[in-house]
Each structure stands twice: as C-alpha cells, then as structure tokens.
Amino acid sequence: MSSPYPRLLAPLDLGFTTLRNRVLMGSMHSGLEERGDWARVATYYAERAKGGVALIVTGGMAPSKEGGVFPGAAGLYTPQDIANHRLVTEAVHSHGGKIAMQILHAGRYAYGKDCVSASAIKSPISPFVPRELDEEGIEKQIQDFVTAALRAQEAGYDGVEVMGSEGYFLNQFLCLHVNKRTDRWGGSYENRMRLPVEVVRRVRAAVGPNFIIIYRISLLDLVPNGQTFDEVVQLAKAIEAAGATILNTGIGWHEARVPTIATSVPRAGFAWVTKKLMGHVGIPLITSNRINNPETAESVLAEGCADMVSMARPFLADPDFVAKAAAGRADTIAPCIGCNQACLDHTFSGKLSSCLVNPRACHETELTYEPAAQRKTVAVVGAGPAGMMAALVADQRGHQVTLFEKDAVIGGQLNMARVIPGKEEFHGLVDWFATMLRDSGVELRLNTAADAAALAGFDEVIVATGVTPRDPGIPGQEGPNVLGYIDVLRGKAPVGARVAVVGAGGIGFDVAEYVTHSGVSPTLDLDTWKREWGVGDPSEVPGGLLEPESPPVARQVTLLQRKAEKPGKRLGKTTGWIHRASLQARGVQMLGGVTYDAITPEGIVLGGEGGPRLLEVDTVILCAGQVSNRGLADALAASGARVHVIGGAHEAGELDAKRAIDQAARLAAAL
Ligand code: NAP
Ligand code: SF4
C-alpha cells in the first residue's frame, strides 16, 4: 500500500549525509538540561528518535553566560558538559536519528543585567537595558558561537542550529527596531546582516564541510521597522554562501503582539511565508508553526511551501508521530492542541516542561506504564479527560477496565472547549480519545450513571465525575434572562444582543469569545485571521506588520468579576494576552471589583467599584466557576468502599485538563 504521506516520508539528501524523512523536531526549551539529570535528557530525545523523526534540534544552548536566556541557562562550557551531551547524541544515534544543537544567544532578551545587544535599547518584555557591544565585544560573541559549535561537534552532534530569529541576538542586529549603530555593524542592511553572516561563515570554517548548519532565519519579524522581504532574500543568499546547510523558518519576535503558535493561529498559518523564499536559495527550506498532523505537513510540502517541516510541540504530545504516520495510523497520534499549558507556560514559569496530552513528556524515566504485576478489574466513572486517561493507561498496563459515562458521548468538559472559536483543536483531542478507547480493551458504557451497586465487585474504583457550575446565589438569577454557560455553549438557549458575563475565569473568557463571534472562526480562515491580527505580506510592508482590522461583533458584552484586578490576569502565562486582545478587539468591556446586587428584567445591578448602577443587558450568563461533583465519591466512601477520586471531582478550583490528565495517568500507572 502506498503511503498517504509520500513527500513527508521521503529522505532528504544533504550531500554529505541523508535525513531519513522530512520531519524536524524543532527546538523547545524543556528545562531538563538545567536539572543535570543527563540520563533523563537522553531518554527524552531517544524516545523521539525511536519514534522516527529524522532530525532533532535541541533546546537552545547558550554560547556564553551573557547570552543565556536566564542566569544558569545550559551551555557547553566544560569537558563534563561535553560528556553529558555525548550521552544524548549517542542515545539518538542508537535509534537512527540525527541531532543538532541549537546555539541560542538571547541578546537583550537575556534575563540578566549583563545582557548585550546591538544598541542599548530595552525590550518591552525585559526589565534589563542591554549593553551596546563594541567591536571587541562583537568579536567575542562570534568566537563564542564558533566555540559552542566546535564543542557540539566534539559531543557527537550532527550539526548546530544558529538561532537567528524570534527577536534574539542576531535578529536584533538585523532590524532598525533595535540596531541604531553607525559603525560597520549598523546602518545599511549590508552592515546589519554582517553579524549573522559572519557567525555562519566562521562556524563553517571551524567545523569543516561535513557538519549540518541550520540557520533559523526570521522571515516575518512582526515588529515595527522589521525586515523587508528583499532584505530577507538578501540575507538568505548570504547565509547560504557563508556555508549553511539548511534554512529553518522563524516567525515573529517574542515581543510581537501577534500570536504565532497559539491554538487560535490557523494550522500551517505561516507556511506561505516560507513559500515566498522557495527558489531564492539552493539549500533546503524548512517551514514551521502550527503544523500538528501528518496531513497538514504533507499538504504544506505538496503545495511547494518548503522542503521539510518542523514541529516542536507535537513531539511532546506524541514521540511516535512519524512512526504512526508511516504505519498508516495517524489517527492514533496524540494531538498537540496548541494550548501551551504544560509546555511554554511551564517554561516561562521556570518549571519543567511537559504536555497536557502526554504527561510522560519530559518525565519518561519516572512515569512509565509498565505491565501490571496483577491483573485487576477497574471501574472508571466519568469519560471526561481524567476518566478517559485513567482508563487508557490502566488498560495499557493489562487491567480489565470498564468506563461508565452518564451522557451519550465521551469528552466531558472538552465538549465545552471544542465549540469555542479558536479552540477547534479540542475536536481532535476528543477524536483521539475516541480512537484510543475504540482500539483498547476498555469496555465503554455510555448512557450509564454508575451507582454504588454497579461498582461493587471491582478491584479498583476510580471516580472522575467532574464538576458542576457553582451557584453564585445572585438575587433574581432564576429569571428567564439568566443562562448557565452550559446551555449557551450547547446552543440550547437564545442569547440577547447585550450580554453580561458573570465571572471572568477561563470559561467566562471563552463564553465572551463564543457570543461575540459570528460567521466562520478566524482560526479556520487564514485571510480573516491575518486581517484581524494585522499580518501582511513582507514584500509590501516591513516585518509583515499591518494595522489590525476590527472584526465583526455579534453582541455587546460586558465581562465581570469581583476581584479588583485586571480580568484575565490568571489565564495562561503565554496565552492570556491573546484572549484579552481578542476580546478587546471585539469591544468587550471588562470590569473588575464589582459586586452583584441583583438581576432584574432590565439587567444586572452592580455594586462595588464605581458605586451602585444598573448594567442594562438582555442576557446574563453565569460563569462563576465550578464545584466538584462528589456525590458518588461521598456515597462510596460512606459505604466503606475504597475509591480513587481524580480530576474535577477531586479538586474543582481552577481545574484544567492538564492537571486532570496528569493525575489520572499517575494513578493508573500505579494501580
Ligand atoms: P475559574 O477560572 O475558577 O473562574 C471562576 C470565575 O468566577 C472567576 O472570575 C471568579 O472571579 C468568579 N467567581 C467565583 N466564585 C463566584 C461567586 N460565588 N459568584 C460570582 N462569581 C464567582 O473557573 P472557570 O472560568 O469556570 O474555569 C474553570 C477552569 O477551566 C479554569 O480555571 C481553567 O483552568 C479551565 N479553563 C481554561 C481555559 C483556558 O483558557 N486556559 C478556558 C476555559 C476553562 P471573582 O471571584 O473575582 O468574581
Ligand atoms: Fe501541545 Fe498543549 Fe502539549 Fe504544549 S501542552 S505540547 S501546546 S498539547
């Protein structure tokens, strides 16, 4: 049978070496390297190599102390560092994979007072003003890149990736946004591109011809005074001439106010940018950003957008991505839903990365699903994320599992998320759970509310009965103009033109998004999405940055909370700003510090900050958080039964699927 992914799985001949397919695992900072447990780092990468990826790029390694993203960022400084990295390269090679080390100089993004850049201009996302480098300082940085590359070679890497995008050090020299110099490293584009070209030229001279050099080129800066496309082409040609083997795509500086990888970005939403560069250089081009399944990757290649595809987060979600695609079982690939909740949100909070969908990511050595010593009968109640994950892991380990679900469908709260514009990826997650349950030995009993009698006789009972909406107890809330979020999201209740949303947590934000949208979700229509976020063609506007256009707005919404803080402050670390910006673009008013005195036919009477007043609305939607659904758990406990309670049924406060799935996997791994 011919493969459905002939282009994706085709080898790529680089002359002195061949990649086994067109899939690159892009660089992701995991936090593992800084922990010093190198066997764990090696296992993490080895699982991905075993899963078939052709070329892995490591998380960024600092070439110098001043260039590290944060104090103590990992780099190759000592013979011991080189020996540690050799564990990684050997593990990857033992599975037929190749691995390149990313050299990441953060420039003014380095979180420390010793940071350096082209000019002494602070970035909006850092408190530190960088030191402007003099001629000698620039030479030191170049030499640091060369030294890092040589040490990577000594550690057994197949190559390096020189990080030249995302607003990091080399990118800072390229753009007038930061580079205000008047010497030979500033002014004309020829001068501004001197540093990245010199770095690649000197690295190539040092490492010799048979070593992969990937240069991550910023194709779309998405900041004011970004590069024009003619400049990008000029740079790409010069980098090729300087000795790069491959060009990888970088999109957007970290300080850009345009989402580039969040789940609401359309799939492969920036492949068109890489395509613009195709034909301008002779070396292979890699495209990236929001490609999370083999179908999308294959079509990107079929459309001539690139020679190769980079995916980073999808390899956290499923290390066997390529092997499953090659085996014709793409439906079993655990999908990266682009949520950032366990990966980038962790990274930017100084925590170890993992994955909402795959709690084993970066925990490969301590969370394992070994065959159970004794086969047990296991009942799981509730087919939400926690219950489904517990059932699957218990089944995988050899237990006999029955999964009870009172509704006619699986998914639980995931079925709320999947209808929100911008959260379409949740469909794929529910589909994946359905496939995995179908392929497993789990007996799924839908439309079955298990009671204590039905659960008697099981060796283990896992209660994952989830949550119910909290009753905020507002006088007048029983009126016909008041709705719960579940009725709204299930499309069962008409919503008026003027809306007040009570509660500005994750669900309040989601509901505000849901009721203000009309027509096709921008996530499913790239042109609409680009207009909304102001993404233009870099041939027409430098850096691809346009004025955003106001989207059509279906309803006038006011989002309310009692806390006297900025609504949305507690949303995801790397995604909260996107939710806030999206609602602001839709004219949503956000009020904190209010009290809810009453709901009347005219609207909602508010107190607190701003004094008593009537907010005139047609509909009030209650999104006041959740409480645990513990009825069954409490009844079982009262009868003396031994039960495990997980997910929202265990703890509803700020519940999210990440915690629920992780808790479920760990419990089932230990049964
Ligand atoms: P939540 O995040 O805990 O927010 C509950 C909201 O209700 C808060 O704004 C809270 O603010 C308000 N509230 C609490 N008690 C209230 C009361 N007695 N009367 C009136 N208002 C009250 O809960 P959620 O919005 O239901 O979301 C549940 C969880 O699902 C989230 O925490 C999140 O983990 C997950 N989720 C995440 C996302 C995401 O974007 N990542 C999206 C959807 C859901 P005040 O107390 O200040 O009024
Ligand atoms: Fe993807 Fe979310 Fe997992 Fe990160 S945590 S890899 S974004 S599914």
Side-chain angles (χ1 to χ4, degrees), residues 435-494:
T435 301
M436 301 308 284
L437 286 170
R438 194 191 61 223
D439 286 3
S440 74
V442 174
E443 182 188 342
L444 176 62
R445 293 200 200 157
L446 294 171
N447 301 305
T448 309
D451 56 14
L455 299 171
F458 282 93
D459 297 329
E460 303 279 357
V461 175
I462 300 175
V463 176
T465 43
V467 291
T468 43
R470 176 185 286 124
D471 176 1
I474 304 170
Q477 69 180 26
E478 56 295 326
N481 56 342
V482 183
L483 301 173
Y485 71 85
I486 294 179
D487 287 335
V488 173
L489 297 180
R490 286 191 175 154
K492 286 190 176 160

Coordinates of all heavy atoms in Angstrom, one line a residue, residues 435-494:
T435 N -10.7 7.2 19.4 CA -10.0 6.2 18.7 C -9.3 5.3 19.6 O -9.3 4.1 19.5 CB -8.9 6.9 17.7 OG1 -9.6 7.7 16.8 CG2 -8.1 5.8 17.0
M436 N -8.6 5.9 20.6 CA -7.8 5.1 21.5 C -8.7 4.2 22.4 O -8.4 3.0 22.6 CB -7.0 6.0 22.4 CG -6.0 6.9 21.7 SD -4.9 6.0 20.5 CE -3.8 5.2 21.7
L437 N -9.9 4.7 22.7 CA -10.8 3.8 23.5 C -11.3 2.7 22.6 O -11.4 1.5 23.1 CB -12.0 4.7 24.1 CG -11.6 5.6 25.2 CD1 -12.8 6.5 25.6 CD2 -11.3 4.8 26.5
R438 N -11.6 3.0 21.4 CA -12.1 2.0 20.5 C -11.1 0.9 20.2 O -11.4 -0.3 20.2 CB -12.5 2.7 19.1 CG -13.3 1.8 18.2 CD -13.4 2.4 16.8 NE -12.1 2.5 16.2 CZ -11.6 3.6 15.6 NH1 -12.4 4.6 15.4 NH2 -10.4 3.6 15.0
D439 N -9.8 1.3 20.1 CA -8.8 0.3 19.9 C -8.3 -0.4 21.1 O -7.6 -1.4 21.0 CB -7.5 1.0 19.3 CG -7.7 1.4 17.8 OD1 -8.9 1.2 17.3 OD2 -6.8 2.0 17.2
S440 N -8.8 0.0 22.3 CA -8.3 -0.6 23.5 C -9.2 -1.7 24.0 O -10.3 -2.0 23.3 CB -8.3 0.5 24.6 OG -9.6 0.8 25.0
G441 N -8.9 -2.3 25.1 CA -9.8 -3.3 25.7 C -10.8 -2.7 26.6 O -11.5 -3.5 27.3
V442 N -10.9 -1.4 26.7 CA -11.8 -0.7 27.7 C -13.2 -1.0 27.2 O -13.6 -0.8 26.1 CB -11.5 0.8 27.8 CG1 -12.6 1.5 28.6 CG2 -10.1 1.1 28.3
E443 N -14.0 -1.4 28.2 CA -15.5 -1.5 27.9 C -16.1 -0.2 28.2 O -16.2 0.2 29.4 CB -16.1 -2.7 28.7 CG -17.6 -2.9 28.4 CD -18.2 -3.8 29.4 OE1 -17.5 -4.6 30.1 OE2 -19.5 -3.8 29.5
L444 N -16.6 0.5 27.2 CA -17.2 1.8 27.4 C -18.7 1.7 27.5 O -19.4 1.1 26.6 CB -16.8 2.7 26.2 CG -17.5 4.1 26.2 CD1 -17.1 4.9 27.4 CD2 -17.1 4.8 24.9
R445 N -19.3 2.1 28.6 CA -20.7 2.0 28.8 C -21.3 3.5 28.8 O -21.2 4.1 29.9 CB -21.1 1.3 30.1 CG -20.7 -0.2 30.1 CD -21.5 -0.9 31.1 NE -20.8 -2.2 31.4 CZ -20.9 -2.9 32.5 NH1 -21.7 -2.4 33.5 NH2 -20.3 -4.0 32.7
L446 N -21.8 3.9 27.7 CA -22.4 5.2 27.6 C -23.8 5.2 28.2 O -24.4 4.1 28.4 CB -22.4 5.7 26.1 CG -21.0 5.9 25.5 CD1 -21.2 6.2 24.0 CD2 -20.3 7.1 26.2
N447 N -24.3 6.4 28.4 CA -25.7 6.5 29.0 C -25.9 5.7 30.2 O -27.0 5.1 30.5 CB -26.7 6.0 27.9 CG -26.7 6.9 26.6 OD1 -26.8 8.1 26.7 ND2 -26.4 6.2 25.5
T448 N -24.8 5.5 31.0 CA -24.9 4.7 32.2 C -24.3 5.5 33.4 O -23.1 5.7 33.5 CB -24.0 3.4 32.0 OG1 -24.4 2.8 30.8 CG2 -24.2 2.5 33.2
A449 N -25.2 5.9 34.3 CA -24.8 6.6 35.5 C -24.5 5.5 36.6 O -25.5 4.9 37.1 CB -25.9 7.5 36.0
A450 N -23.3 5.2 36.8 CA -22.9 4.1 37.7 C -23.3 4.5 39.1 O -23.0 5.6 39.6 CB -21.4 3.8 37.6
D451 N -23.9 3.6 39.9 CA -24.1 3.8 41.3 C -23.3 2.8 42.1 O -22.6 2.0 41.5 CB -25.6 3.7 41.7 CG -26.2 2.4 41.2 OD1 -25.4 1.4 40.9 OD2 -27.4 2.2 41.2
A452 N -23.4 2.9 43.4 CA -22.6 2.1 44.3 C -22.8 0.6 44.0 O -21.8 -0.2 44.0 CB -22.9 2.4 45.8
A453 N -24.0 0.2 43.7 CA -24.3 -1.2 43.4 C -23.6 -1.7 42.2 O -23.0 -2.8 42.1 CB -25.8 -1.4 43.3
A454 N -23.6 -0.8 41.1 CA -23.0 -1.2 39.9 C -21.5 -1.4 40.1 O -20.8 -2.1 39.3 CB -23.3 -0.2 38.8
L455 N -20.9 -0.7 41.1 CA -19.5 -0.6 41.2 C -19.0 -1.7 42.2 O -17.7 -1.9 42.4 CB -19.0 0.7 41.7 CG -19.4 1.9 40.7 CD1 -19.1 3.2 41.3 CD2 -18.6 1.7 39.4
A456 N -19.9 -2.3 42.9 CA -19.5 -3.4 43.8 C -18.8 -4.5 43.1 O -19.2 -4.9 42.0 CB -20.7 -3.9 44.6
G457 N -17.8 -5.0 43.6 CA -17.1 -6.2 43.0 C -15.9 -5.8 42.1 O -15.1 -6.7 41.8
F458 N -15.7 -4.6 41.8 CA -14.5 -4.2 41.1 C -13.3 -4.1 42.1 O -13.5 -3.7 43.2 CB -14.7 -2.8 40.4 CG -15.5 -2.9 39.1 CD1 -16.8 -2.6 39.2 CD2 -14.9 -3.1 37.9 CE1 -17.6 -2.7 38.0 CE2 -15.6 -3.2 36.7 CZ -17.0 -3.0 36.8
D459 N -12.2 -4.5 41.6 CA -11.0 -4.4 42.5 C -10.6 -2.9 42.8 O -10.2 -2.6 43.9 CB -9.8 -5.1 41.8 CG -10.0 -6.5 41.6 OD1 -10.7 -7.2 42.4 OD2 -9.5 -7.1 40.6
E460 N -10.8 -2.1 41.8 CA -10.4 -0.7 42.0 C -11.6 0.2 41.3 O -12.1 -0.2 40.3 CB -9.1 -0.3 41.2 CG -7.9 -1.1 41.6 CD -7.2 -0.6 42.9 OE1 -7.7 0.4 43.5 OE2 -6.3 -1.3 43.3
V461 N -11.9 1.3 42.0 CA -12.9 2.2 41.5 C -12.3 3.6 41.4 O -11.8 4.1 42.4 CB -14.2 2.2 42.4 CG1 -15.2 3.3 41.9 CG2 -14.8 0.8 42.4
I462 N -12.4 4.1 40.2 CA -11.8 5.5 40.0 C -13.0 6.4 39.7 O -13.8 6.2 38.7 CB -10.8 5.5 38.8 CG1 -9.7 4.6 39.1 CG2 -10.3 6.9 38.6 CD1 -8.7 4.4 38.0
V463 N -13.2 7.4 40.5 CA -14.3 8.3 40.3 C -13.8 9.6 39.7 O -12.9 10.3 40.2 CB -15.0 8.7 41.7 CG1 -16.1 9.7 41.5 CG2 -15.5 7.4 42.3
A464 N -14.3 9.8 38.5 CA -13.9 11.0 37.7 C -15.1 11.7 37.2 O -15.3 11.9 36.0 CB -13.0 10.6 36.5
T465 N -16.0 12.0 38.1 CA -17.3 12.5 37.8 C -17.3 14.0 37.5 O -18.4 14.6 37.2 CB -18.3 12.2 38.9 OG1 -17.7 12.5 40.2 CG2 -18.7 10.8 38.9
G466 N -16.2 14.7 37.6 CA -16.1 16.1 37.1 C -16.7 17.1 38.0 O -16.7 17.0 39.2
V467 N -17.2 18.1 37.3 CA -17.7 19.3 38.1 C -19.1 19.7 37.7 O -19.6 19.3 36.6 CB -16.7 20.5 37.7 CG1 -15.3 20.3 38.3 CG2 -16.6 20.7 36.2
T468 N -19.7 20.6 38.5 CA -20.9 21.2 38.1 C -20.7 22.7 38.4 O -19.9 23.1 39.2 CB -22.1 20.8 39.0 OG1 -21.7 20.7 40.3 CG2 -22.6 19.4 38.5
P469 N -21.5 23.6 37.6 CA -21.3 25.0 37.8 C -21.6 25.5 39.2 O -22.5 25.0 39.8 CB -22.3 25.6 36.8 CG -22.5 24.5 35.8 CD -22.4 23.2 36.6
R470 N -20.8 26.4 39.7 CA -21.1 27.0 41.0 C -22.3 27.9 40.9 O -22.5 28.6 40.0 CB -19.8 27.8 41.5 CG -20.1 28.5 42.8 CD -18.9 29.4 43.1 NE -17.7 28.7 43.6 CZ -16.5 28.8 43.0 NH1 -16.3 29.6 42.0 NH2 -15.5 28.1 43.5
D471 N -23.1 27.8 42.0 CA -24.3 28.7 42.1 C -23.8 30.0 42.8 O -23.5 30.0 43.9 CB -25.3 28.0 42.9 CG -26.6 28.9 43.1 OD1 -26.6 30.0 42.7 OD2 -27.5 28.4 43.8
P472 N -23.8 31.1 42.0 CA -23.4 32.3 42.7 C -24.4 33.0 43.6 O -24.1 33.9 44.3 CB -23.1 33.3 41.5 CG -24.0 32.8 40.4 CD -24.2 31.3 40.6
G473 N -25.6 32.5 43.6 CA -26.7 32.9 44.5 C -27.0 34.4 44.4 O -27.1 35.1 45.4
I474 N -27.1 34.9 43.2 CA -27.4 36.3 43.0 C -29.0 36.5 43.0 O -29.7 35.7 42.2 CB -26.9 36.8 41.6 CG1 -25.4 36.6 41.5 CG2 -27.2 38.3 41.4 CD1 -24.7 36.8 40.2
P475 N -29.5 37.4 43.8 CA -31.0 37.5 43.8 C -31.5 37.8 42.3 O -30.9 38.7 41.6 CB -31.2 38.8 44.7 CG -30.0 38.8 45.5 CD -28.9 38.3 44.7
G476 N -32.5 37.1 41.9 CA -33.1 37.3 40.6 C -32.5 36.4 39.5 O -32.9 36.4 38.4
Q477 N -31.5 35.5 39.9 CA -30.8 34.7 38.9 C -31.7 33.6 38.3 O -31.4 33.0 37.3 CB -29.6 34.1 39.4 CG -29.8 33.0 40.5 CD -28.5 32.4 41.0 OE1 -27.5 33.0 41.0 NE2 -28.6 31.2 41.5
E478 N -32.9 33.4 38.9 CA -33.8 32.4 38.3 C -34.7 33.0 37.2 O -35.4 32.3 36.5 CB -34.7 31.7 39.4 CG -35.6 32.7 40.2 CD -34.7 33.6 41.1 OE1 -33.7 33.3 41.6 OE2 -35.2 34.7 41.3
G479 N -34.5 34.3 36.8 CA -35.3 34.9 35.8 C -35.0 34.3 34.4 O -33.9 33.7 34.2
P480 N -35.9 34.5 33.4 CA -35.7 34.0 32.1 C -34.5 34.6 31.3 O -34.1 34.1 30.3 CB -37.0 34.3 31.4 CG -37.6 35.4 32.1 CD -37.1 35.3 33.6
N481 N -34.0 35.7 31.8 CA -32.9 36.4 31.1 C -31.5 35.9 31.6 O -30.5 36.5 31.3 CB -33.0 37.9 31.2 CG -33.1 38.4 32.7 OD1 -33.4 37.6 33.6 ND2 -32.8 39.7 32.9
V482 N -31.5 34.9 32.5 CA -30.3 34.4 33.0 C -30.0 33.0 32.5 O -30.9 32.1 32.6 CB -30.3 34.4 34.6 CG1 -29.0 33.9 35.2 CG2 -30.7 35.8 35.1
L483 N -28.8 32.8 32.0 CA -28.5 31.4 31.5 C -27.2 30.9 32.1 O -26.3 31.7 32.5 CB -28.2 31.5 30.0 CG -29.4 32.1 29.1 CD1 -28.9 32.3 27.7 CD2 -30.5 31.1 29.1
G484 N -27.0 29.6 32.2 CA -25.8 29.0 32.6 C -24.9 28.8 31.3 O -25.4 28.7 30.2
Y485 N -23.6 28.7 31.5 CA -22.7 28.6 30.4 C -22.9 27.3 29.6 O -22.7 27.3 28.4 CB -21.2 28.8 30.8 CG -20.6 27.7 31.5 CD1 -20.1 26.6 30.9 CD2 -20.6 27.7 32.9 CE1 -19.5 25.5 31.6 CE2 -20.0 26.7 33.7 CZ -19.5 25.6 33.0 OH -19.0 24.6 33.7
I486 N -23.4 26.3 30.3 CA -23.5 25.0 29.6 C -24.6 25.1 28.5 O -24.5 24.7 27.4 CB -23.8 23.9 30.6 CG1 -22.5 23.7 31.5 CG2 -24.1 22.6 29.9 CD1 -22.7 22.6 32.5
D487 N -25.8 25.7 28.9 CA -26.8 25.9 28.0 C -26.4 26.7 26.8 O -26.8 26.5 25.6 CB -28.1 26.6 28.7 CG -28.7 25.6 29.6 OD1 -28.6 24.3 29.3 OD2 -29.4 26.0 30.5
V488 N -25.6 27.8 27.1 CA -25.2 28.7 26.0 C -24.3 27.9 25.0 O -24.4 27.9 23.8 CB -24.4 29.9 26.6 CG1 -23.8 30.7 25.4 CG2 -25.4 30.7 27.4
L489 N -23.3 27.2 25.6 CA -22.3 26.5 24.7 C -22.9 25.3 24.0 O -22.4 24.9 23.0 CB -21.1 26.1 25.5 CG -20.3 27.3 26.1 CD1 -19.1 26.8 26.9 CD2 -19.8 28.2 25.1
R490 N -24.0 24.8 24.6 CA -24.6 23.7 23.9 C -25.6 24.2 22.8 O -26.3 23.4 22.2 CB -25.3 22.7 24.9 CG -24.3 21.9 25.6 CD -25.0 20.8 26.4 NE -24.0 19.9 27.0 CZ -24.2 19.2 28.1 NH1 -25.4 19.2 28.7 NH2 -23.2 18.4 28.6
G491 N -25.7 25.5 22.7 CA -26.6 26.1 21.7 C -28.0 25.9 22.0 O -28.9 26.0 21.1
K492 N -28.3 25.7 23.3 CA -29.7 25.4 23.6 C -30.5 26.6 24.1 O -31.7 26.5 24.3 CB -29.7 24.4 24.8 CG -29.4 23.0 24.3 CD -29.6 22.0 25.4 CE -29.3 20.6 25.0 NZ -29.1 19.7 26.1
A493 N -29.9 27.8 24.2 CA -30.6 28.9 24.7 C -30.3 30.1 23.9 O -29.2 30.4 23.5 CB -30.1 29.1 26.2
P494 N -31.4 30.9 23.6 CA -31.1 32.2 22.8 C -30.4 33.2 23.7 O -30.8 33.4 24.8 CB -32.6 32.6 22.4 CG -33.5 31.9 23.4 CD -32.8 30.7 23.9

